Amino acid sequence: MVKKLISDLASTKARSVVLLLDACFSGAQRGEGVLAENRGVAIKVKTDAPIGRMVMFSSAMGDETAWPYKEKGHGLFTYFLLKKLQETQGHVTLDELSDYLVMRVRRQSAFNLKRQTPTVISSSEVNEQWRNWSLGMRQSSQPIQ
């Protein structure tokens, strides 16, 4: 499914693509139970690599679960993503966004005694250029709770 999404996005005429995924690929479900752990199965995930001029943010490493932030009604990754976009009115480089998400999500997941580490993977065409890309979004009138 992610492979098709990456392929479809890469086939557009976009100058660049930023893919933000708040999902895990560990065989887990967000919430109370972890499917793979309940069966004692260890899954090694091969992440589909971005292609073209694409960078992909993922909410968790391949063997981690993307945890909910129940008090805020979002996943941890989505909550801090929206918070940073609101604070900066969308004027943030992807490098700054990446650093913020890794720090905040790791810290909050540690408070919950669970591990979650957002990751960023760029296509070979983009290499490290993505770090200077800016989202430059318009301000939202809805505050993040």
Side-chain angles (χ1 to χ4, degrees), residues 31-82:
E32 298 303 316
V34 177
L35 300 176
E37 287 179 0
N38 289 340
R39 286 183 257 164
V41 176
I43 298 173
K44 285 292 180 192
V45 178
K46 180 181 176 215
T47 305
D48 293 308
I51 54 179
R53 293 193 46 78
M54 185 182 302
V55 61
M56 181 171 69
F57 283 65
S58 178
S59 61
M61 291 181 151
D63 60 344
E64 295 176 342
T65 298
W67 297 103
Y69 196 169
K70 291 179 185 174
E71 300 85 354
K72 303 296 183 179
H74 290 288
L76 280 176
F77 178 83
T78 296
Y79 173 76
F80 287 111
L81 169 66
L82 294 174

Side-chain angles (χ1 to χ4, degrees), residues 90-98 130-135:
H91 297 287
V92 59
T93 66
L94 295 186
D95 191 45
E96 294 166 333
L97 182 60
S98 172
W130 66 270
R131 294 183 181 280
N132 297 316
W133 293 359
S134 178
L135 296 177

